[in-house]
Amino acid sequence: MSPRVVLIGPPGSGKSTVGAALAARLGLPLHDTDAAIEAAAGRSISDIFIEDGEPTFRELERAEVARAVEQEDGVLALGGGAPVDPLTEQVLAGQVVVFLDVGIADASKRVGFDQSRPLLAVNPRASWVRLMNERRPVYERVATHRVDTAGRTPDAVAEEIATLLGAS
């Protein structure tokens, strides 16, 4: 068993929202690794970052992504930083991976740059741009498809992905 499709991208690209729309369109389950980590830990990702540090969160994330790729079917939505981990990048090899690309204007409308995003807590716009500049090469390398989400509804993006998967 493995996911039908894995969604990656920066905060605000729509991984969870598009993932839900795509899963509904395809009649498949959605598995969001951030939500799974929060459920297993019994606390928010922000709290894990603050209380245990980013390295601990990344270990939890790496383990959850590896487990999900092996055991979940359907649509898999990863946290924005997950593909940057070299071991996670290896786990994603051979999967159908869609990079949901978005610019700062659309991301800021969707995210709101609030305190629930620990890596964006200080100077959120500059932090987002820095993260995206660091992560874009990885997203592009890992992805089998790139879909621009700027100015588009989750349903429109899900429809494009379904078409890419030959399922529309």
Side-chain angles (χ1 to χ4, degrees):
M1 182 182 308
S2 68
R4 176 80 189 275
V5 61
V6 179
L7 303 179
I8 64 170
S13 62
K15 297 176 298 292
S16 298
T17 306
V18 169
L22 180 61
R25 176 179 288 274
L26 299 176
L28 295 169
L30 170 66
H31 185 81
D32 184 309
T33 59
D34 280 353
I37 292 166
E38 288 182 336
R43 54 197 169 131
S44 70
I45 288 171
S46 184
D47 286 346
I48 296 169
F49 262 77
I50 291 166
E51 295 166 15
D52 302 330
E54 184 177 0
T56 296
F57 169 73
R58 294 298 174 199
E59 288 174 26
L60 295 170
E61 182 177 57
R62 182 182 311 113
E64 175 54 23
V65 171
R67 188 208 61 76
V69 166
E70 191 172 298
Q71 298 177 11
E72 300 289 337
D73 57 1
V75 177
L76 180 59
L78 303 189
V84 178
D85 180 87
L87 295 175
T88 298
E89 184 175 345
Q90 290 174 15
V91 166
L92 295 175
Q95 300 295 316
V96 176
V97 179
V98 176
F99 165 29
L100 299 181
D101 202 353
V102 67
I104 182 75
D106 283 282
S108 67
K109 288 179 212 166
R110 295 174 187 163
V111 173
F113 293 136
D114 60 22
Q115 295 303 313
S116 71
R117 311 278 180 159
L119 293 180
L120 301 178
V122 178
N123 195 349
R125 291 177 187 278
S127 296
W128 188 93
V129 169
R130 179 185 49 76
L131 277 177
M132 189 58 182
N133 288 340
E134 291 170 1
R135 293 176 177 176
R136 177 176 291 283
V138 176
Y139 292 152
E140 291 176 344
R141 182 173 61 243
V142 170
T144 52
H145 304 285
R146 181 193 155 276
V147 174
D148 190 352
T149 67
R152 300 175 70 197
T153 66
D155 286 333
V157 175
E159 183 177 344
E160 181 177 342
I161 296 168
T163 300
L164 288 170
L165 299 174
S168 65

